[in-house]
Amino acid sequence: MGLLSDPNRRKALTNLLTRLNAPICMVCYLAAIVWFMGLAFEPFTLRTYMSENAMGSTMVEERFSSGERALSLAKEFDAHKRKAGGMPVEWLVKAMQARGLEVFTQSFSRKLPFPDENKERYMVRGTNVYGILRAPRAPRTEALVITAPCSPGNSDNQAVGLLLALAQYFRNQIFWAKDIIFLVNEHDLIGMQAWLEGYHHTNITGMEYSPLQGRAGSIQAALSLELSSDVITSLDLILEGLNGQLPNLDLANLFYAFCQKLGVLCTIQGKLQRNDWDTAEGYTHAAQTMMLMVLKQACGRSWGDHGLFLRYHIEAASIRGINGFRHYKMDVATIGRLLEGMVRKLNNLLERLHQSYFFYLLPSLSRFVSIGYYMPAFGLLAVILLLRVSFPGLDHFTFFNPSGPGVLTVLTPVVISHLTGVALYLLPVHLQEMAVEHFPVSETEAVVLTAVAIYTAGLALPHNTQRLLSGEGTEQGWKVLKLTALLYLAVLLGCTALINFSLGFVLAVTLVPITASMTPHMPKALSALAMVLLSPAFTILYCVFIYQELIEAPVSVGEGWMLFLSVISQGILDHALYGSLVYPLLALFIYPCWLMFWNILFWS
């Protein structure tokens, strides 16, 4: 405090920061990258532990043994699904009623803003079927949910069969203190969104659905089961939800504890856990696992049905059975015992899960990185923007200099940049019919190509916009604009990182270096190329290639470009269907902010 209160020392410190501004910024950037990559080193992480006392022990005797019955029900479900050409609603209703459940159905429909590229559907109609097992010795004010999606083909047939077998087994137990809801949802996330909106009496996405005739208590937790193969070698835990939300870490710890108890092979991000953390291979494996979680969280989409529960403050996770490892095979009865153990532990909860972490990264299922460990990496990047604000000539007195630039000189590029962002947000969907009429493209292609065209046109539209009203820019003008843009970007990235650290960090890694150093006196051609290569669109493109490398499915440049276009269409669709915030954030804020720096480069 003495250093800051003494005017002479404060002036000396200011001069030092000004003189060494560029070197300090470079050191901060390198330190941020090293800090983040060091988080995957096991000694720098924390060992997972159960914070909730009610779930602190796995001393539960799992007795589920109806694996053959589950397989038989799966075959019946598959046969009736093929016969019905979709969800066998009548058969499911009778099957649940035969197991003593209160059974209800919900019909829903949703018109997509443009056809889904993967399934080529424009109008989605379906029916959800759910049965409620009432708690025999409780006031029925709380509930748990077990859900299995009804997917086309052979996918998830075993999940539905196991769900019905668990319902029959649970019906014969008397220790349940919470209602248990067994839900089979059609059309994956769309059906789940309709059911959740109907259960909570909301309509935030324009979904049309029939009211739910039966309800249970307040949902405390949910488990989504996905068994995509007849042969299961391991169980993969999926945590990433809508807008980067994560469930309470205790839910992941509970899954890992029962996997350890039952000897079940478990993975995170599809990768097995390694114990050789002190080797280069062990560290690389942990770093790849953590980076996969960062990329999946940054995209803001829900990676399973569980992701939509998180919006309603319901702790949820998806358990996905995969067939990817040799010499391992898991029977359905073992998966049933694992689910039984988890549900019985969740049944013991006296309050919602809250004692453990909600913000974390997982390099493995046994280690985690808390928010206090990974936030300094982002903080070092944010410091660079604040240091550049104090760069010579970018001081706040510029705002009050009578001989400084007019307000319109600076305000004009800011407004036009944001109007370009509004066009990028609104026009792709609204102009799809016009594009289809004039060009030989489908609706989905029209939306994506319109977005790419507007993004590219934005590079020319705000060019030298300060001359629209004033006729000529000034030296002080670009300095005020850069000061505004630096502070704006710092606030944007800071708010993003608080909600979705991964998205904020990925954007900061690419945007901070070029924006912090941008001036109109730099070589135009080289600087323009660098800015384009570090723009938000190219950041998404890089993430596509990195993600494919991390999942060990590398793609060519052409395939990567097609995946990039698919990611854009999926982002727009996720925003329209489920309320994902990534696309509007990029279109309305990040891209206009980047355009302001683009305008600074060509200031004259």
Side-chain angles (χ1 to χ4, degrees):
M1 293 300 295
L3 178 64
L4 297 178
S5 61
D6 188 343
N8 294 326
R9 292 182 177 179
R10 186 169 63 246
K11 183 177 180 180
L13 178 61
T14 302
N15 293 335
L16 178 65
L17 292 176
T18 301
R19 187 172 65 256
L20 300 177
N21 196 285
I24 293 176
C25 289
M26 293 179 62
V27 170
C28 287
Y29 187 82
L30 293 176
I33 301 300
V34 173
W35 184 294
F36 178 76
M37 296 308 298
L39 296 175
F41 190 49
E42 185 166 328
F44 296 163
T45 60
L46 301 174
R47 185 174 295 278
T48 56
Y49 59 92
M50 199 75 69
S51 300
E52 183 62 52
N53 292 330
M55 301 194 307
S57 171
T58 55
M59 296 297 292
V60 174
E61 184 180 356
E62 303 84 17
R63 299 178 179 178
F64 179 79
S65 59
S66 304
E68 294 298 326
R69 180 58 180 163
L71 292 175
S72 176
L73 288 169
K75 292 179 181 179
E76 289 185 45
F77 174 74
D78 181 45
H80 284 84
K81 184 169 67 172
R82 293 175 184 274
K83 183 178 179 180
M87 173 84 98
V89 176
E90 294 183 3
W91 181 85
L92 274 174
V93 169
K94 293 179 180 178
M96 288 186 178
Q97 289 176 342
R99 283 150 184 82
L101 305 181
E102 297 181 16
V103 186
F104 307 93
T105 62
Q106 178 202 33
S107 59
F108 62 90
S109 63
R110 182 67 163 93
K111 182 180 180 180
L112 278 60
F114 56 90
D116 188 336
E117 183 179 8
N118 296 326
K119 301 180 180 178
E120 298 181 351
R121 55 190 183 185
Y122 190 75
M123 174 65 74
V124 178
R125 290 187 176 89
T127 304
N128 296 322
V129 181
Y130 64 102
I132 303 175
L133 174 61
R134 299 295 182 181
R137 296 187 177 182
R140 303 176 180 179
T141 57
E142 298 177 346
L144 303 173
V145 175
I146 305 176
T147 175
C150 176
S151 304
N154 295 326
S155 299
D156 295 317
N157 290 341
Q158 283 196 24
V160 176
L162 181 55
L163 181 141
L164 294 174
L166 283 172
Q168 184 172 357
Y169 174 75
F170 286 179
R171 182 68 178 83
N172 298 323
Q173 311 301 320
I174 62 172
F175 44 69
W176 301 115
K178 296 176 172 60
D179 294 343
I180 302 179
I181 303 173
F182 299 88
L183 168 65
V184 180
N185 57 296
E186 193 172 9
H187 297 303
D188 303 320
L189 290 175
I190 297 180
M192 182 58 68
Q193 179 71 18
W195 190 83
L196 284 170
E197 289 190 359
Y199 196 89
H200 295 91
H201 302 291
T202 60
N203 194 329
I204 56 180
T205 61
M207 181 83 67
E208 295 182 6
Y209 56 84
S210 61
L212 297 186
Q213 300 300 316
R215 296 182 76 258
S218 174
I219 301 175
Q220 305 294 297
L223 296 173
S224 177
L225 183 62
E226 301 177 17
L227 303 179
S228 58
S229 173
D230 292 337
V231 178
I232 305 298
T233 61
S234 65
L235 295 179
D236 191 54
L237 182 65
I238 304 171
L239 301 172
E240 297 84 6
L242 192 67
N243 296 321
Q245 285 185 281
L246 298 171
N248 189 274
L249 185 57
D250 270 345
L251 193 61
N253 297 337
L254 182 65
F255 169 79
Y256 181 64
F258 273 100
C259 286
Q260 293 293 99
K261 177 184 178 182
L262 298 175
V264 172
L265 194 66
C266 56
T267 61
I268 183 78
Q269 311 303 337
K271 294 183 178 293
L272 289 172
Q273 182 168 299
R274 297 177 58 140
N275 297 321
D276 56 340
W277 56 266
D278 53 345
T279 65
E281 293 79 7
Y283 166 77
T284 302
H285 183 85
Q288 291 175 346
T289 305
M290 186 180 71
M291 281 300 300
L292 272 173
M293 183 173 186
V294 168
L295 293 177
K296 290 173 68 175
Q297 186 183 18
C299 77
R301 65 171 301 190
S302 177
W303 290 83
D305 289 345
H306 75 282
L308 301 180
F309 283 88
L310 301 176
R311 167 186 283 163
Y312 299 91
H313 305 287
I314 300 170
E315 308 312 314
S318 289
I319 300 174
R320 180 172 297 166
I322 58 177
N323 179 15
F325 302 96
R326 296 181 178 180
H327 310 302
Y328 294 96
K329 187 175 180 180
M330 191 183 312
D331 60 354
V332 178
T334 302
I335 303 175
R337 285 194 293 271
L338 184 140
L339 290 173
E340 176 195 356
M342 293 185 67
V343 173
R344 287 183 63 177
K345 280 298 180 182
L346 293 171
N347 180 66
N348 294 337
L349 288 176
L350 299 178
E351 52 189 348
R352 292 180 182 271
L353 291 172
H354 69 283
Q355 295 192 24
S356 192
Y357 296 86
F358 288 92
F359 300 93
Y360 53 86
L361 297 175
L362 293 176
S364 70
L365 278 172
S366 63
R367 314 290 297 190
F368 75 100
V369 181
S370 70
I371 185 174
Y373 281 51
Y374 64 64
M375 257 324 208
F378 175 82
L380 288 168
L381 296 176
V383 164
I384 296 175
L385 299 176
L386 300 181
L387 286 173
R388 298 306 290 177
V389 170
S390 64
F391 191 72
L394 294 183
D395 55 81
H396 60 279
F397 296 105
T398 305
F399 280 114
F400 308 101
N401 189 350
S403 61
V407 174
L408 291 179
T409 304
V410 179
L411 187 61
T412 303
V414 175
V415 172
I416 293 182
S417 296
H418 282 80
L419 289 177
T420 307
V422 172
L424 179 61
Y425 174 69
L426 294 177
L427 296 185
V429 175
H430 289 83
L431 296 182
Q432 59 175 307
E433 295 183 1
M434 184 185 300
V436 170
E437 291 179 1
H438 293 83
F439 301 97
V441 294
S442 65
E443 288 87 347
T444 304
E445 293 172 335
V447 170
V448 176
L449 294 178
T450 302
V452 173
I454 295 174
Y455 186 95
T456 306
L459 304 183
L461 181 60
H463 180 66
N464 281 340
T465 50
Q466 78 282 354
R467 302 189 342 184
L468 287 178
L469 296 179
S470 59
E472 184 179 357
T474 63
E475 182 70 13
Q476 288 287 2
W478 75 262
K479 293 180 179 180
V480 175
L481 180 59
K482 182 170 182 179
L483 175 63
T484 303
L486 284 173
L487 293 175
Y488 183 32
L489 183 61
V491 172
L492 272 180
L493 295 179
C495 294
T496 303
L498 290 176
I499 300 173
N500 186 341
F501 164 79
S502 298
L503 178 59
F505 184 78
V506 169
L507 291 173
V509 166
T510 54
L511 291 177
V512 166
I514 192 65
T515 56
S517 59
M518 185 53 56
T519 69
H521 307 303
M522 300 174 66
K524 293 292 188 291
L526 186 61
S527 299
L529 178 62
M531 280 209 70
V532 171
L533 293 178
L534 294 176
S535 66
F538 273 84
T539 300
I540 299 175
L541 183 62
Y542 301 146
C543 289
V544 169
F545 282 101
I546 294 173
Y547 178 79
Q548 293 300 128
E549 289 290 337
L550 291 175
I551 64 174
E552 301 178 2
V555 294
S556 64
V557 175
E559 293 171 335
W561 174 254
M562 296 306 298
L563 286 175
F564 166 72
L565 298 179
S566 177
V567 167
I568 294 177
S569 67
Q570 191 63 48
I572 299 175
L573 200 60
D574 285 346
H575 171 60
L577 295 181
Y578 316 116
S580 173
L581 299 177
V582 174
Y583 180 69
L585 172 69
L586 294 178
L588 296 175
F589 299 102
I590 299 297
Y591 177 60
C593 185
W594 180 87
L595 282 179
M596 292 161 63
F597 289 98
W598 178 261
N599 197 80
I600 291 172
L601 175 62
F602 293 98
W603 192 280
S604 63

